[in-house]
Amino acid sequence: MSSSRPTLCDKKLKSAEIKLLRILHKIDSFKLSNSYTSRLVLPECNGAPISKTFRHNLKFCYLSVAVLTIIFTYWWISPGFASERCALEVPSTSLTLFRPPEDCSMCASVAQVSRLTNLTPEVFERRYAYSPTPVIVTDATQHWRAIKEFNFDFFANFYRNGKMGSKINECFFFAYKSGLLSLGEVFSMDEARANLSGAPWYVGWSTCYDEETRRLRQYYNRPYFLPRTAESDTIDWIFMGGPGQGAHMHVDSVRRVSWQAQVRGRKRWQLAPPPECLYTCRPLTLTVHPGEILVVDTNRWYHMTRVLPGDISITIGAEYD
Ligand SMILES: O=C(O)CCC(=O)C(=O)O
């Protein structure tokens, strides 16, 4: 006979037995049938039999943990994780699905995009600022340092040397098809690729920190034609990459209209009416040249872009209300 001390499991079993005996005693006092009491099962301990339900629940638990682990791992390693600020992003496709239908008068009479010059903020406000008709303003970047100074190396130095370098992944970053998952990766790509002679790439990102936006804005001004009372957003957007690359067709949900200044290179925009207006409105194709600013409501017009052959494309933009 073993004289070893009772284990924790033995103790639990004993106390469970006592409890069970009490219950059985009580059941006995109720005069319940044997077939009922025989369905009661002791909990598992040291290999004792466990109930089917318990086994089933355990399997379900393991399965749930496995599924959750796969989902979490995918979410963690997916490019979106490195780029988005929210812990749980609603996929943009879902946002598009739940978009309220547009009133097609927004695009019914739009046949082309006008090029404008010599505007006043009042005229722009009255005719274009909040109208869904896209326009291109051709004379708003003449004195911008960005036109001369923005290039790949400018941004590489800006982020590599600046103190934002360590925090640059906390805001929006769009990798598109580049395979580059962060600004860190963009600015450490090899020289050939940076010079557009390696694998093609196109990326976009937003500024994140007041100091970053303030420093960048030393190279460009708020476009002179914006309505005087319009508030500009505190973040700016930058899109950069080589010929043949660009953004896929999508619609935004940023709420405001934006201006997008083509600082370098040429970019073709394809604007498509929302699907519910396909029979009422026409798609538009336009090319934005260096120094021009496109004003478009990207929340209403579906849009895709392609950088045209030649220079690297750099676009800087912001929303206004
Ligand atoms: O400039 C680009 O290539 C894309 C811009 C865009 O998709 C946007 O502003 O929503």
Side-chain angles (χ1 to χ4, degrees), residues 7 9-10 44-48:
T7 62
C9 193
D10 293 335
E44 181 193 41
C45 207
N46 281 355

Side-chain angles (χ1 to χ4, degrees), residues 12 106 149 159 172 183 288 293-294:
K12 277 190 183 162
M106 78 162 239
E149 296 183 41
Y159 285 108
F172 290 95
L183 280 183
V288 191
I293 297 185
L294 171 66

Side-chain angles (χ1 to χ4, degrees), residues 5 16 23 32 42 82 91 124 134 152 178 186 211-212 217 264 279:
R5 290 169 52 164
I23 293 166
L32 292 174
L42 264 175
F124 184 76
F152 182 89
S178 66
V186 171
E211 190 195 335
E212 176 189 5
R217 286 183 181 174
R264 287 185 85 100
Y279 294 108

Side-chain angles (χ1 to χ4, degrees), residues 176 202 239 246-247 250 252 260 267 269 298 303 305 315:
Y176 298 114
Y202 190 76
F239 294 89
H250 67 284
D252 292 340
Q260 321 240 0
K267 197 156 63 182
W269 286 71
T298 54
H303 51 285
T305 58
T315 307

Side-chain angles (χ1 to χ4, degrees), residues 22-239:
R22 280 200 198 124
I23 293 166
L24 289 174
H25 187 72
K26 203 155 209 166
I27 291 170
D28 211 30
S29 72
F30 289 140
K31 304 279 175 242
L32 292 174
S33 73
N34 277 351
S35 70
Y36 176 80
T37 51
S38 66
R39 288 207 301 265
L40 294 170
V41 187
L42 264 175
E44 181 193 41
C45 207
N46 281 355
I50 58 172
S51 78
K52 257 190 178 170
T53 323
F54 183 72
R55 224 181 292 232
H56 180 81
N57 287 347
L58 204 62
K59 265 192 204 157
F60 180 74
C61 271
Y62 285 146
L63 197 66
S64 310
V65 169
V67 169
L68 285 174
T69 310
I70 291 168
I71 293 174
F72 186 78
T73 313
Y74 174 77
W75 172 69
W76 180 267
I77 61 171
S78 69
F81 175 76
S83 60
E84 305 298 339
R85 186 191 291 218
C86 300
L88 190 60
E89 272 303 307
V90 179
S92 58
T93 40
S94 318
L95 288 175
T96 307
L97 284 178
F98 297 117
R99 183 183 54 82
E102 281 294 345
D103 172 354
C104 299
S105 64
M106 78 162 239
C107 50
S109 58
V110 182
Q112 60 173 35
V113 175
S114 309
R115 283 191 147 72
L116 309 170
T117 188
N118 207 13
L119 289 159
T120 62
E122 290 69 31
V123 168
F124 184 76
E125 178 169 5
R126 203 168 48 247
R127 297 204 197 142
Y128 309 107
Y130 306 107
S131 130
T133 305
V135 291
I136 294 173
V137 182
T138 61
D139 63 350
T141 61
Q142 283 138 342
H143 307 294
W144 288 12
R145 286 173 64 191
I147 298 287
K148 285 197 188 115
E149 296 183 41
F150 277 9
N151 55 30
F152 182 89
D153 289 339
F154 171 90
F155 285 105
N157 290 329
F158 186 82
Y159 285 108
R160 210 180 279 138
N161 301 334
K163 78 170 191 170
M164 286 80 68
S166 54
K167 331 186 219 164
I168 51 183
N169 280 336
E170 290 175 32
C171 281
F172 290 95
F173 177 81
F174 299 110
Y176 298 114
K177 293 179 183 163
S178 66
L180 301 163
L181 300 187
S182 67
L183 280 183
E185 286 190 25
V186 171
F187 295 119
S188 51
M189 73 171 94
D190 62 64
E191 210 180 318
R193 196 173 183 199
N195 291 336
L196 308 179
S197 43
W201 57 273
Y202 190 76
V203 294
W205 71 94
S206 73
T207 56
C208 233
Y209 305 100
D210 289 347
E211 190 195 335
E212 176 189 5
T213 316
R214 215 174 22 250
R215 278 184 52 202
L216 266 188
R217 286 183 181 174
Q218 291 170 3
Y219 296 83
Y220 49 89
N221 306 323
R222 175 187 150 95
Y224 78 87
F225 54 81
L226 290 188
R228 293 183 207 282
T229 52
E231 291 268 341
S232 286
D233 215 332
T234 51
I235 65 168
D236 288 346
W237 294 86
I238 300 117
F239 294 89

